[in-house]
Amino acid sequence: MRAVVASNLIGGQWSTPSSADRLSVEDPATGETLGSVPASGKAEVDQAVAAARQAFPDWRRRPVVERARVLFRLSALLDQHRDELARSLTREQGKNLAEARGELQRGIENVEHAAGMPSLMMGDTLEDVASGVDCETVRQPVGVFAVITPYNFPVMVPMWFWPYAVAAGNTVVVKPSEQDPLAHQRVVELAGQAGLPAGVLNVVHGRGEAAEALAGHPDVAGVSFVGSSGVARRLYGRAGAAGKRVQALGGAKNHMIVLPDADPDVVAESVVASVFGCAGQRCLAGSVVIGVGESYEPVRERILDGVASLKVGCGLDDDVDMGPVISDAHKNRVAGFIEQGERDGARLLLDGRDPEVPGYPRGHWIGPTVFEDVSPDTPLGREEVFGPVAGLARAPNLEAALELLAASPYGNAASVFTQSGRTAREFRYRAGISMLGVNVGVAAPMAFFPFGGTRNSFYGDLKAQGKDAVAFYTDQKVVISRW
Ligand code: NAD
């Protein structure tokens, strides 16, 4: 396969800065170079923001039904290119084809939902707020938005944002992850084919330097960021201090509580898929599995049984359950958590370091790893590992399990497994976490509902997708009239 030399998209022109270094994009299963992107800097960010700013007045004047029509066409094109996009995503990210198709589907659902902008953007009216005086709200686009995204869902996460932003009449500059930006680049090409005018959607490739320049740019009105918590917090602080709208989604440490009355088959399947799917590189991945009371031993056995049949390998091959992690550096980071866990006294039941994956000697492999007796005060118990590592914990009752959730610095997702409606309601009422699963291991993002956590998992107030996206990308003007 020929390596892709990807360019920035600025004002409708694909351009490569002559001065910038290039960053290689690697297949994490084979180690093969798939392509490269420019390591852009402030100069390219300035050009992209200027192009977006220039495109804004005309685009916002286009009737919203016309803007929506572009998204209808894009949705049809994405549907036609499903196989090509899913394969490209698997090659650069590593997840298996089923997961890649699922990711693409969630992205398409955002395009479909954003195409409903003529209804979503409607305002409210009230007659006679005073005698003969009426009041109404009108939602208007804001200007140029920055979208900065991570490597683990490189197609879906950008589509949590820019379809809504452009449908509402804004223009956008996207800075995708430098580790796997090629499938999304193809989505952007298809958006141009669907009729998105030059300058409405711009792409600048690069590392943190480009992201910082974009988030801090004086002509950027708002920032949608997804990535690790430290970067989320810093960008939120900087962009917020500059008066911008910011939604910054960060990392996670997700707990799953299993009650003794839970259906053991549902638990086994859901927990294993949640912890080990996408090699643990999901912000919704289960990380700590809490067995309540006598559920602990059977849950432990079922998880170890389920894990034994997982096949680790290249995501393009048949029957592979778990692909590689994204890079050698990330593999070493995950292995570091495993070593530290052992030093801190957790019991290693299954060690996934350096598994044999025949035919792929250069892949970044970490197999399923299971610990028990993980203390919540240790790095393995508290911090985001972002790899296929389960920490099993015990709690005498729901109360004690909820205390473990309350002590976590993160608040992205949590699940409960029970057949009691009362227990499920208690969990929902008190968990204090934003995305909750009841007998579901991954409280997956649905385009028509908001998505985002709390505590160190989210900085901001309006979340991704759903009605929050419409509110984030529009300003409500209030008009009071007397005739
Ligand atoms: P990351 O924070 O390293 O990178 C995210 C984006 O920020 C990338 O585009 C990157 O180039 C840029 N970036 C990196 N360093 C930067 C810096 N110093 N200043 C400005 N920008 C910088 O995250 P990642 O490793 O790509 O993705 C994994 C992380 O994303 C995990 O923590 C995961 O939980 C999180 N994530 C969260 C959600 C959510 O919904 N909360 C969803 C997906 C991923």
Side-chain angles (χ1 to χ4, degrees):
M1 209 179 115
R2 215 154 43 88
V4 180
V5 181
S7 306
N8 294 332
L9 177 63
I10 297 179
Q13 301 295 318
W14 296 98
S15 62
T16 299
S18 50
S19 58
D21 298 337
R22 293 202 69 87
L23 308 169
S24 348
V25 178
E26 185 194 55
D27 180 333
T30 62
E32 183 190 344
T33 298
L34 299 175
S36 67
V37 294
S40 313
K42 186 176 174 307
E44 293 74 38
V45 166
D46 285 349
Q47 289 162 14
V49 173
R53 199 172 163 207
Q54 197 187 346
F56 176 64
D58 279 354
W59 182 240
R60 79 149 285 196
R61 281 183 181 282
R62 286 271 190 107
V64 61
V65 285
E66 280 185 27
R67 298 196 301 254
R69 224 166 270 141
V70 175
L71 294 183
F72 283 119
R73 289 194 293 266
L74 174 59
S75 158
L77 285 170
L78 291 169
D79 192 39
Q80 281 167 28
H81 290 265
R82 265 177 206 273
D83 198 49
E84 170 205 338
L85 288 165
R87 293 183 78 80
S88 160
L89 173 53
T90 291
R91 290 211 73 187
E92 63 181 339
Q93 205 283 336
K95 60 182 65 181
N96 69 25
L97 265 178
E99 286 163 346
R101 290 195 185 104
E103 169 172 355
L104 180 61
Q105 176 59 27
R106 297 255 188 269
I108 292 174
E109 285 165 12
N110 277 284
V111 175
E112 291 169 348
H113 185 47
M117 198 53 75
S119 312
L120 296 171
M121 232 177 133
M122 280 180 186
D124 299 314
T125 56
L126 184 64
E127 269 187 344
D128 286 336
V129 285
S131 182
V133 176
D134 304 332
C135 191
E136 66 186 308
T137 56
V138 181
R139 286 195 177 274
Q140 295 185 345
V142 182
V144 178
F145 279 88
V147 172
I148 301 163
T149 53
Y151 80 82
N152 63 330
F153 283 88
V155 167
M156 175 189 73
V157 171
M159 288 155 83
W160 284 352
F161 303 112
W162 64 254
Y164 298 94
V166 301
N170 303 284
T171 56
V172 175
V173 180
V174 182
K175 206 302 280 170
S177 170
E178 64 278 25
Q179 298 191 82
D180 48 12
L182 302 178
H184 179 257
Q185 182 91 344
R186 187 75 185 108
V187 173
V188 172
E189 283 171 19
L190 294 173
Q193 227 170 291
L196 204 60
V200 172
L201 180 63
N202 304 274
V203 179
V204 174
H205 292 287
R207 290 182 281 234
E209 186 194 350
E212 295 267 358
L214 187 54
H217 197 290
D219 290 336
V220 165
V223 180
S224 299
F225 173 87
V226 183
S228 48
S229 290
V231 180
R233 185 169 43 229
R234 212 180 42 260
L235 284 188
Y236 178 73
R238 280 197 51 203
K244 301 178 194 304
R245 296 173 172 221
V246 194
Q247 46 182 193
L249 287 72
K253 183 81 184 173
N254 303 315
H255 294 69
M256 313 178 89
I257 305 176
V258 183
L259 274 295
D261 67 352
D263 180 325
D265 292 332
V266 171
V267 172
E269 196 184 325
S270 309
V271 168
V272 169
S274 175
V275 176
F276 303 104
C278 287
Q281 299 166 105
R282 287 186 187 130
C283 70
L284 294 176
S287 180
V288 180
V289 185
I290 308 169
V292 172
E294 71 263 29
S295 77
Y296 181 79
E297 299 296 337
V299 166
R300 176 183 184 274
E301 294 321 305
R302 292 296 296 261
I303 291 176
L304 288 170
D305 276 357
V307 165
S309 63
L310 290 180
K311 184 172 168 198
V312 179
C314 172
L316 291 176
D317 293 346
D318 289 340
D319 303 328
V320 161
D321 300 293
M322 239 180 72
V325 297
I326 189 72
S327 62
D328 203 42
H330 191 55
K331 175 185 146 180
N332 292 335
R333 182 177 176 276
V334 175
F337 272 104
I338 299 173
E339 280 151 30
Q340 182 70 44
E342 283 188 292
R343 279 201 296 277
D344 288 337
R347 220 152 73 80
L348 189 53
L349 302 177
L350 183 67
D351 186 351
R353 280 171 291 187
D354 298 318
E356 276 286 305
V357 182
Y360 296 97
R362 290 170 61 205
H364 311 308
W365 307 110
I366 290 263
T369 300
V370 182
F371 274 101
E372 68 178 349
D373 299 330
V374 178
S375 161
D377 302 325
T378 59
L380 185 61
R382 273 178 82 79
E383 290 172 24
E384 180 177 48
V385 177
F386 222 52
V389 180
L392 309 185
R394 302 164 210 254
N397 47 38
L398 179 66
E399 193 67 33
L402 288 173
E403 278 169 23
L404 288 174
L405 268 63
S408 171
Y410 294 96
N412 213 43
S415 292
V416 73
F417 292 88
T418 179
Q419 297 196 48
S420 154
R422 185 192 165 117
T423 303
R425 188 202 183 259
E426 190 70 4
F427 167 78
R428 187 179 79 181
Y429 195 74
R430 292 180 47 203
I433 306 289
S434 297
M435 291 175 290
L436 298 176
V438 176
N439 298 319
V440 162
V442 178
M446 295 291 135
F448 10 89
F449 284 94
F451 189 88
T454 184
R455 304 183 204 155
N456 290 350
S457 299
F458 182 70
Y459 302 92
D461 48 9
L462 292 170
K463 298 186 171 176
Q465 310 185 127
K467 290 178 191 156
D468 277 25
V470 181
F472 188 73
Y473 295 121
T474 56
D475 189 35
Q476 290 201 79
K477 304 289 193 301
V478 181
V479 186
I480 301 183
S481 317
R482 175 165 46 209
W483 290 98

